Amino acid sequence: MRAAVLGGGPGGLYFAVSLKLRNPAHDIVVIERNRPGDTFGWGVVLSDETRDNLAENDSVSAEAIRQSFAYWDDIAVYYRGTVVRSGGHGFCGISRKRLLNILQERAAALGVELRFETEAKDPAEYADYDLIVGADGVNSRVRAAHADVFKPDIDVRACKYIWLGTHQKFDDAFTFLFEETEHGWIWAHAYQFDADTATFIVECSEATWRNFGFDRMSSEETIATCEKVFARNLGGNALMSNAKHLRGSAWLNFNRVLCERWSCRNIVLLGDAAATAHFSVGSGSKLAMESAIALANYIHTEPDLESAFRRYEDERRLEVLRLQNAARNSTEWFEDIERYFHLDPVQFNYSLLTRSQRISHENLRQRDPAWLAGAEKWFEKQATGHSPNAARPPMFVPFRVRGVELANRVCVSPMAQYRAVDGIPNDWHFVHYAERAKGGAGLVFTEMTCVTPQGRISPGCTGLYSDEHERAWKRLVDFVHAETEAKIAIQLGHSGLKGSTQLGWEEPDAPLLEGNWETIGPSCVAWSSNNPAPREMTRADMAAVRDAFVRAAEMADRAGFDWLELHYAHGYLMSSFITPLTNRRTDAYGGSLENRMRFPLEVVHAVRNVWPDEKPISVRISAHDWVGPAGIQPQDAVLISRMLAEHGVDLVDVSAGQTSVGAKPVYGRMFQTPFSDRIRNESGIATLAVGNIYEPDHVNSILMAGRADLVCLARPHLADPYWTLHAAADLRYEGVPWPKPYRAGRDQLYRLKARAEAMTGKV
Ligand SMILES: Cc1cc2nc3c(=O)[nH]c(=O)nc-3n(C[C@H](O)[C@H](O)[C@H](O)COP(=O)(O)OP(=O)(O)OC[C@H]3O[C@@H](n4cnc5c(N)ncnc54)[C@H](O)[C@@H]3O)c2cc1C
Ligand SMILES: Cc1cc2nc3c(=O)[nH]c(=O)nc-3n(C[C@H](O)[C@H](O)[C@H](O)COP(=O)(O)O)c2cc1C
C-alpha cells in the first residue's frame, strides 16, 4: 500500500512507525512543513498507562522515550503566599523535540520516507496514494478540504495562553503558580521535561490579557512581562519562546475540535486534526499516539479501508469523548477561576486537583493519604471551629445553620410518594420517612407537600392545610426526633400549571382521566399541548396562595419540623413565575427577573416572618431551563440566589430543569453540581447539590472542593434507605450511630467488610 501521512507530529510519525512495523512492504511517506528540529512547544506529559501501550506497540521507540523521561511525583500549588504540595501523582515528561527526533529516527530506520520542509496544500495533491492520513494538527488543512464530510465543530475557548520554556528547575513537582497582579490574576503550569529545561505555560483571562496590553506586545515584550510577573519563582532564569515561526506574539486561544466523521473515502483524520484535549489534562499526545496504534492495527487486520476506518473510529471516539469530557471540566475550571480565588489554599488546591472530575476523594487518599487527612482535618476545623485529632470524611462533618445542627451532610432528597388520600400522610409515609431517618442521613426532606388542595400535583400528593394533616405529620416528626439523630424538613409547594395530573408511575404531567380541577399560573401558558392552560392569577389569587404558604409554615412549626424548604423548582407555581418561559405577565410580576421574582420573594418574606428565627429555610430552584438564552441559565440562578439570600433564605437547593417540554438537559454523573458550585462560590450563599450523585466518593469530593455544603440523594435512597449507614461502613468510619436494636447487624457488617478488605486488599 502507498500511504501519504500529512503532518509529522507525534500522531503522524507514530502512525507511520506502527503501520510499517505491521507490514514493512508498505510504502509510506510523511510530509512535514518544518525542519526536523523545529518545534512549537516544549515538553509533553505521558502517563504510565500510555507508556505501557507504547511499549507493547514498539519496544524500540518506547525504550528510547523512556530513557529521555523526566519523572516527578508531586503537584505544588503556589497561591496567596502559600505552597501546598501533594504527592503520589506520578507523571513523566519528555521534550517534544526529543520525542519527535526519536520517532523520526525510528521511522527512517524502518524505511519510512520523511519529506521535511514540504507544505501539504491539499489532500488532492496526493490522489495517487491508496491512503491519506490527515495528521496535520489542530488547524488541519485536510479537515478543512473536506469539511462538508468531517463536519468539524470548533469551540474557541475563553482563556489566552502562551507555551514558553525556562531553565529554572521545576524538577520536584508539577507546579502551578497563581499570581494576583494589578491587571488581574495570571497563572503558569510548569513542569520539567529534561535535565535543564521546563515547560512554562502562562495563561490568563482575555480581560487580564488586555489589561496587561499583551494584545499590543511583541513576543519579546510578552516574555519580559511574564518574567517580571513570575520573577519570584524563576530564580533569575529567563523565559524562552521557540515559536519564532509563528506570526505575532504566539498567544493562543485553545480550540476544542470535534468532528462528526473521521474519514472520507481513502482519507482519515488522526490526532489533533480529529479531536483535541485541553493541555491542562495533558493528553493530546497520548490521544494522537494511541489513535495511531489503533488506526495502524485496523488497517492491518481489516479487509478494506472502509471497515478499518469504521472500527478505528468506533474504538477511539469513545476514548476521545471521555477525555474531552474531563478536559472540558478542566478548561472550564480555569476559565471560571475568579470564582475560586476566595477559597482557602487547602480547598483551592483540592478544587484544582479534582477539577476534571476524573480524580476523586478516594483517588487522592490513595495518592497521598497524609495530605488528604490534613485536608479533611482542615474541613472539619473550618466547619466546627475545633481541631480534630483524627480525620473524618467530609460527609460526616456536622453542619450548623441558625439553631439547627445536622449530624452529617447527607440529605434524603424530596420525593413525591403519590400515596396520600385528601393530602393526608398515612402509614406508607410514616414507614417510608421513618426508615430513611433510621438510615443515618443528617436531614430527611418530605416530598413536596402542598399548601392547598388545588396546589397538589396529583390526587396522591400530601398536603398541609388542615388539622388532620398537621396531626399526621406531627406523629412522624415526633418519632424521628425520639428515635433517630436525623433532622426533618418539610418541603412546601404549589403545583400551579403542572397540577391536576396523574400519579408519578402513571403518565406523569398528563391531566387526570377524570376529576380534574382548575389550575392557576402566572399566565395562560399550558405546560404542554396535552394540558389545559391555567387561569392567569389575579393579585387576590397571589395573596391567597401567599397566605396558604404562611398557614402551612405555621402548621409545620407546630408539627415540630426542624427545617422548611420552599419548592421553587421544576415548573411548579413559584418556578413558573421565575422562568420567562411560562411568565408572560405585563404587570409588576412579569418581564425583568426582578419582576418575575417579586411574588416568589413576597412568599419567602411572609413565610420567614412566621417561621422561627432559629430554624432554617432553604429554597429549591431550577438553575437551568436547558433551553438556551430563552430561559433561565446558570448566571441567572446566581442572581436569583442572591435575591433569596437577601430575603432571609439560608440555603439554595440547586436542582435544574423540568420547566419546559422543549428542554434539552445534559445528563451525567453529578450533572447539576456545577450549578451549585457556581451559586455557592459566586453568591456566597450555602447550597445543597443534587442530581445523579450516588457514591460516597462523589459526596466527599463535592463537599471537600466547596461545590456545596450539603448533598441530597434521591433515587439512591429509594434503593437503600440505609444509604448513609452503608456509606460509613464502606469508608470504615465508625462515628455514625446505628439504632440500638440494629447494633448486632452493624457489628457483623463492619466485621465482614474488614474481612473482605484483609482478603482482597480493598474494602
Ligand atoms: C500549550 C500546549 C501544551 C500541551 N501539553 C501537552 C502535554 O503535556 N501532553 C500531551 O500529551 N499533549 C500536550 N499538548 C497537545 C499536543 O501538543 C498535541 O495534542 C499533539 O501534539 C497532537 O499531535 P498531532 O500529531 O496530532 O499534531 P501536532 O503535534 O500538531 O503535529 C502536526 C504536524 O503537522 C505539521 N503540519 C501542519 N500542517 C501542515 C501542512 N499543511 N503541511 C505539512 N505539515 C503540516 C505541523 O508542522 C506539525 O508538525 C499540548 C498542546 C498545547 C497547545
Ligand atoms: C420518585 C421521585 C419523586 C420526586 N419528587 C420530588 C419532590 O416532591 N420534590 C422535589 O423537589 N423533587 C422531587 N424529585 C426530584 C429529586 O428530589 C431529585 O432532585 C432528583 O431525583 C435527582 O436526584 P437523584 O439523581 O439522586 O435521584 C423526585 C424524584 C423522584 C425519583
Side-chain angles (χ1 to χ4, degrees):
M1 175 192 290
R2 293 186 71 225
V5 180
L6 310 187
L13 288 169
Y14 203 61
F15 169 74
V17 167
S18 304
L19 191 64
K20 197 79 178 161
L21 275 174
R22 280 162 178 77
N23 185 349
H26 291 318
D27 177 3
I28 307 173
V29 59
V30 175
I31 311 291
E32 168 57 47
R33 60 154 69 116
N34 291 330
R35 290 169 302 178
D38 285 344
T39 182
F40 169 50
W42 296 86
V44 296
V45 184
L46 297 172
S47 68
D48 288 351
E49 187 198 359
T50 306
R51 284 179 341 246
D52 290 347
N53 293 340
L54 300 187
E56 205 179 303
N57 183 58
D58 176 28
S59 57
V60 176
S61 58
E63 179 53 23
I65 292 170
R66 194 190 62 76
Q67 285 178 9
S68 307
F69 271 140
Y71 293 89
W72 67 96
D73 209 41
D74 289 3
I75 293 181
V77 180
Y78 290 71
Y79 166 71
R80 292 200 181 282
T82 63
V83 190
V84 177
R85 194 178 283 270
S86 56
H89 302 290
F91 293 102
C92 68
I94 182 170
S95 125
R96 177 170 160 107
K97 193 163 164 177
R98 179 82 192 109
L99 176 66
L100 291 181
N101 289 155
I102 290 171
L103 297 179
Q104 288 159 0
E105 279 167 29
R106 180 68 175 142
L110 289 168
V112 173
E113 183 193 345
L114 301 174
R115 225 178 273 165
F116 292 103
E117 298 179 78
T118 309
E119 182 78 24
K121 293 193 187 66
D122 191 311
E125 292 175 88
Y126 302 87
D128 53 336
Y129 284 80
D130 304 311
L131 167 69
I132 300 171
V133 180
D136 49 348
V138 62
N139 298 315
S140 172
R141 281 200 177 174
V142 176
R143 190 181 65 220
H146 296 282
D148 54 329
V149 178
F150 297 126
K151 296 205 173 70
D153 167 7
I154 299 172
D155 183 9
V156 181
R157 303 304 313 203
C159 285
K160 291 281 179 188
Y161 73 92
I162 182 166
W163 203 353
L164 303 172
T166 178
H167 293 310
Q168 167 64 13
K169 290 253 187 280
F170 288 99
D171 52 358
D172 59 342
F174 190 115
T175 302
F176 290 101
L177 306 169
F178 292 92
E179 292 290 347
E180 187 174 19
T181 72
E182 56 181 324
H183 301 302
W185 283 85
I186 182 164
W187 55 95
H189 314 233
Y191 55 91
Q192 201 75 24
F193 62 79
D194 67 22
D196 62 358
T197 332
T199 295
F200 198 92
I201 303 169
V202 179
E203 195 181 13
C204 61
S205 69
E206 166 112 23
T208 301
W209 184 73
R210 287 193 190 284
N211 290 344
F212 265 106
F214 284 132
D215 51 335
R216 299 183 301 277
M217 287 185 200
S218 65
S219 255
E220 291 70 26
E221 288 165 329
T222 282
I223 286 175
T225 306
C226 291
E227 282 170 350
K228 246 189 248 148
V229 170
F230 296 103
R232 61 178 144 176
N233 293 101
L234 286 174
N237 286 289
L239 291 175
M240 304 173 284
S241 165
N242 62 3
K244 294 270 185 300
H245 58 289
L246 290 184
R247 287 188 305 275
S249 71
W251 284 95
L252 295 170
N253 287 72
F254 182 78
N255 286 342
R256 197 274 290 119
V257 176
L258 261 177
C259 288
E260 217 172 287
R261 284 193 55 184
W262 292 1
S263 66
C264 165
R265 297 191 308 270
N266 64 336
I267 306 172
V268 65
L269 298 179
L270 175 67
D272 275 9
T276 57
H278 191 251
F279 56 85
S280 64
V281 294
S283 296
S285 304
K286 160 202 162 75
L287 273 187
M289 292 171 80
E290 289 177 341
S291 291
I293 300 175
L295 182 60
N297 218 12
Y298 288 124
I299 288 175
H300 185 62
T301 55
E302 291 298 303
D304 52 46
L305 286 182
E306 195 188 334
S307 58
F309 291 169
R310 197 172 46 245
R311 295 207 57 189
Y312 156 69
E313 196 176 322
D314 282 353
E315 179 188 310
R316 294 303 299 164
R317 188 178 281 282
L318 205 67
E319 175 65 11
V320 162
L321 288 179
R322 216 173 51 82
L323 250 169
Q324 282 195 334
N325 199 18
R328 190 195 58 232
N329 294 335
S330 177
T331 313
E332 284 176 0
W333 192 90
F334 283 105
E335 288 173 351
D336 297 333
I337 201 164
E338 300 280 335
R339 186 188 295 163
Y340 305 111
F341 283 133
H342 72 281
L343 295 179
D344 176 279
V346 176
Q347 197 159 40
F348 182 83
N349 194 61
Y350 186 98
S351 180
L352 170 66
L353 293 179
T354 55
R355 68 191 181 280
S356 73
Q357 294 194 11
R358 273 196 308 182
I359 296 176
S360 71
H361 201 71
E362 293 311 312
N363 295 148
L364 287 175
R365 196 187 304 286
Q366 270 175 356
R367 290 177 182 209
D368 192 341
W371 178 80
L372 191 76
E376 288 183 339
K377 284 185 185 169
W378 169 86
F379 185 86
E380 181 158 351
K381 172 140 197 298
Q382 55 85 38
T384 63
H386 308 300
S387 295
N389 293 328
R392 62 172 142 177
M395 65 192 270
F396 296 114
V397 171
F399 178 75
R400 172 165 277 281
V401 51
R402 295 191 185 244
V404 172
E405 181 165 290
L406 305 182
N408 62 60
R409 293 170 184 245
V410 181
C411 307
V412 177
S413 200
M415 277 180 288
Q417 296 298 297
Y418 304 102
R419 271 286 187 239
V421 177
D422 294 331
I424 305 166
N426 51 37
D427 284 355
W428 174 269
H429 301 90
F430 187 88
V431 172
H432 170 76
Y433 290 114
E435 275 301 282
R436 274 128 198 103
K438 285 194 291 175
L443 183 65
V444 176
F445 281 96
T446 69
E447 64 206 89
M448 172 167 133
T449 294
C450 309
V451 296
T452 63
Q454 183 188 38
R456 289 173 303 157
I457 305 168
S458 75
C461 290
T462 51
L464 194 42
Y465 45 83
S466 77
D467 292 348
E468 207 174 343
H469 296 140
E470 185 181 319
R471 270 196 304 279
W473 282 120
K474 183 169 189 314
R475 177 167 167 256
L476 169 69
V477 172
D478 287 347
F479 173 87
V480 170
H481 287 161
E483 296 288 355
T484 79
E485 299 245 313
K487 299 284 188 258
I488 181 159
I490 181 105
Q491 188 190 53
L492 293 180
H494 187 297
S495 56
L497 63 130
K498 287 177 84 176
S500 187
T501 57
Q502 300 181 29
L503 307 186
W505 50 85
E506 295 172 350
E507 196 185 337
D509 298 330
L512 298 170
L513 298 178
E514 55 186 33
N516 282 292
W517 59 84
E518 182 194 50
T519 58
I520 52 173
S523 310
C524 296
V525 177
W527 168 247
S528 78
S529 54
N530 196 19
N531 299 70
R535 179 169 61 76
E536 178 170 315
M537 288 169 75
T538 61
R539 185 63 209 122
D541 290 322
M542 289 188 223
V545 168
R546 179 199 61 209
D547 294 346
F549 269 96
V550 167
R551 228 177 10 254
E554 287 169 334
M555 288 183 190
D557 179 39
R558 284 198 300 271
F561 280 104
D562 303 293
W563 183 300
L564 188 150
E565 173 157 293
L566 296 170
H567 195 346
Y568 281 16
H570 302 168
Y572 298 115
L573 185 64
M574 294 300 165
S575 164
S576 70
F577 266 88
I578 298 173
T579 171
L581 301 175
T582 40
N583 184 341
R584 305 277 166 80
R585 296 181 78 94
T586 50
D587 62 4
Y589 295 92
S592 65
L593 180 63
E594 284 68 26
N595 279 4
R596 286 181 274 122
M597 284 297 289
R598 195 180 305 278
F599 176 52
L601 289 175
E602 274 177 21
V603 173
V604 167
H605 183 74
V607 167
R608 186 71 266 181
N609 269 343
V610 298
W611 187 247
D613 273 353
E614 68 279 11
K615 294 188 187 182
I617 295 183
S618 57
V619 175
R620 175 167 274 204
I621 62 167
S622 283
H624 203 326
D625 285 336
W626 300 115
V627 296
I632 295 291
Q633 301 199 81
Q635 61 270 28
D636 305 313
V638 174
L639 303 177
I640 293 168
S641 301
R642 284 205 184 111
M643 293 184 213
L644 292 170
E646 282 161 13
H647 284 74
V649 169
D650 302 295
L651 299 99
V652 176
D653 183 352
V654 187
S655 187
Q658 298 177 55
T659 50
S660 163
V661 286
K664 292 200 167 48
V666 181
Y667 293 118
R669 215 164 28 112
M670 304 185 268
F671 71 112
Q672 294 170 163
T673 301
F675 313 140
S676 163
D677 180 344
R678 181 162 188 174
I679 289 171
R680 183 177 190 271
N681 289 305
E682 287 186 12
S683 74
I685 188 170
T687 59
L688 299 100
V690 64
N692 218 11
I693 300 166
Y694 47 86
E695 287 180 2
D697 209 15
H698 301 159
V699 179
N700 284 326
S701 302
I702 291 168
L703 294 170
M704 188 67 226
R707 298 189 173 111
D709 297 271
L710 298 173
V711 177
C712 290
L713 294 89
R715 289 165 299 170
H717 277 113
L718 293 182
D720 180 4
Y722 297 162
W723 190 90
T724 305
L725 297 183
H726 292 156
D730 286 343
L731 294 169
R732 313 295 304 282
Y733 175 70
E734 304 207 356
V736 181
W738 283 53
K740 287 196 189 83
Y742 295 177
R743 283 190 185 162
R746 172 199 65 188
D747 295 345
Q748 185 192 42
L749 181 65
Y750 276 80
R751 235 182 359 259
L752 291 172
K753 296 264 178 204
R755 200 177 297 160
E757 185 181 29
M759 284 170 70
T760 63
K762 57 179 197 281
V763 186

